[in-house]
Amino acid sequence: MEIGEGIYEINEFDNVSMFLIVGDEKALLVDTGIGIGNIKTFAEKLAGKPVEVFLTHNHRDHVGNAPLFPKVHISRIDYGMGKMIRPLTSRESRRQYIDVTLQKQKGKEYPWKEEDISMFSKEQEPEVILLEDEVEFDLGGRTVTCYLCPGHTPGSMVAVDDRTSYVFSGDCCNKFLGIGVRPIPGMKHASIEESYEAMKHIWNVGIDVKNIYSAHADFRKVGEPLEGYVFETVMEGLKKIVEGNYAAGKKWIQMIDTEVDIAFFEDIEIQFHVENIYGGEKAWT
Ligand SMILES: [Zn+2]
């Protein structure tokens, strides 16, 4: 679906949305989905020009089809979370994720077949270009800048298009947000403080808050942005957590067998661990 001038939302059968930003010379694909069908061919046809790939973070539903491409870009921190393709993005692991989506969308028909779920050999690892903060993709007549926005994962990044000021926020900004909830072996989570600072930095860049596109079309419809207050409310919510100015609650999360702290700001729920509020040493240094 075209959602702005030369910007397309590609929703992968209710799993995750990818975004294609088309410049005069090339296009940028934001995320590669869980991996059903051939997103490379699809994106290249849609753009009619070469496609570069930017991955918002290293989760299976965002990097599933990455091996289709010869080269991808991802933040250095998130790449450190584990091997890009294995074990997180094995076919079995992605299949599990797809099954959860199918259960949620009971009765809905999807036009894909079992063999459309891509499978890659161990050798099929794309060349990975590691990104630091504020990386520009010059697409010809339009530049997309990618900023670190740690929280959901320690090295999550968002993409901001200079032509429209649209933001492609991956899983960094939504009405339901877990920050450093799930342990990552051998890695430090971003603190709430660090997360807030990053969102404030992006805010100050001058984004279009009425056009924030989260990767999951769960609190928005495909083709429609998140409601205009969400980014600011999440950002201010994080600040309130850092200041201790929130009503605390606890919740047991069965799936990860862990108790988390929760805070609500309007209809936005943020899950976190109290001990992760302050950063000190930043996750990306
Ligand atoms: Zn994620």
Side-chain angles (χ1 to χ4, degrees):
M1 189 180 287
E2 189 164 12
I3 57 170
E5 193 204 336
I7 303 178
Y8 299 87
E9 175 169 1
I10 306 162
N11 183 268
E12 193 185 27
F13 312 109
D14 288 329
N15 287 286
V16 147
S17 280
M18 295 155 269
F19 297 91
L20 187 69
I21 309 161
V22 185
D24 297 337
E25 279 147 37
K26 53 186 178 182
L28 186 69
L29 179 67
V30 178
D31 287 336
T32 57
I34 194 79
I36 307 174
N38 192 322
I39 184 63
K40 182 172 185 284
T41 309
F42 186 80
E44 283 168 355
K45 260 192 203 163
L46 194 56
K49 43 197 82 167
V51 174
E52 295 254 31
V53 177
F54 162 70
L55 303 167
T56 58
H57 63 292
N58 201 352
H59 276 167
R60 60 188 166 178
D61 48 329
H62 300 258
V63 307
N65 250 339
L68 285 177
F69 295 87
K71 185 174 83 179
V72 299
H73 301 77
I74 190 167
S75 84
R76 176 174 53 84
I77 311 293
D78 258 33
Y79 189 63
M81 274 169 58
K83 297 277 172 288
M84 174 80 89
I85 308 309
R86 285 167 204 289
L88 206 60
T89 57
S90 69
R91 192 179 190 280
E92 300 70 53
S93 161
R94 291 185 291 115
R95 172 80 245 193
Q96 268 173 22
Y97 184 97
I98 293 165
D99 283 340
V100 172
T101 308
L102 289 173
Q103 278 159 21
K104 275 196 226 155
Q105 309 291 348
K106 245 181 223 149
K108 228 170 155 181
E109 288 290 326
Y110 297 96
W112 54 268
K113 299 185 209 76
E114 197 58 35
E115 59 265 34
D116 292 333
I117 305 175
S118 48
M119 190 152 92
F120 303 105
S121 69
K122 277 198 176 106
E123 295 71 42
Q124 253 178 294
E125 183 91 17
E127 183 194 347
V128 180
I129 311 290
L130 301 178
L131 306 179
E132 304 296 330
D133 198 5
E134 296 206 30
V135 179
E136 291 186 352
F137 288 88
D138 180 0
L139 307 179
R142 102 188 290 165
T143 302
V144 176
T145 309
C146 300
Y147 297 91
L148 271 170
C149 192
H152 175 71
T153 62
S156 277
M157 293 183 88
V158 304
V160 181
D161 171 47
D162 74 337
R163 202 182 277 178
T164 58
S165 300
Y166 281 23
V167 181
F168 305 95
S169 58
D171 288 352
C172 295
C173 173
N174 209 342
K175 286 196 179 185
F176 174 82
L177 199 64
I179 299 199
V181 164
R182 193 189 285 251
I184 312 169
M187 258 188 103
K188 228 182 121 201
H189 271 296
S191 65
I192 304 288
E193 203 181 18
E194 195 178 341
S195 212
Y196 163 68
E197 292 294 339
M199 285 190 87
K200 196 173 77 178
H201 179 67
I202 294 160
W203 177 266
N204 288 336
V205 165
I207 53 175
D208 179 357
V209 292
K210 292 203 176 70
N211 278 296
I212 310 254
Y213 290 87
S214 49
H216 295 271
D218 44 6
F219 293 99
R220 63 176 183 86
K221 288 200 182 100
V222 173
E224 288 176 18
L226 279 173
E227 288 157 88
Y229 66 90
V230 177
F231 192 98
E232 191 175 12
T233 306
V234 169
M235 181 176 73
E236 290 304 322
L238 294 176
K239 185 168 177 245
K240 284 177 188 154
I241 294 175
V242 174
E243 293 166 350
N245 178 20
Y246 65 99
K250 298 263 184 201
K251 199 169 170 179
W252 184 266
I253 311 290
Q254 192 79 42
M255 201 169 66
I256 51 172
D257 205 23
T258 311
E259 189 180 55
V260 298
D261 298 278
I262 49 170
F264 287 93
F265 304 97
E266 298 186 37
D267 57 347
I268 292 164
E269 178 179 351
I270 300 179
Q271 296 187 351
F272 60 103
H273 289 301
V274 161
E275 66 270 24
N276 280 350
I277 289 182
Y278 300 104
E281 178 196 340
K282 289 190 191 301
W284 66 75
T285 50

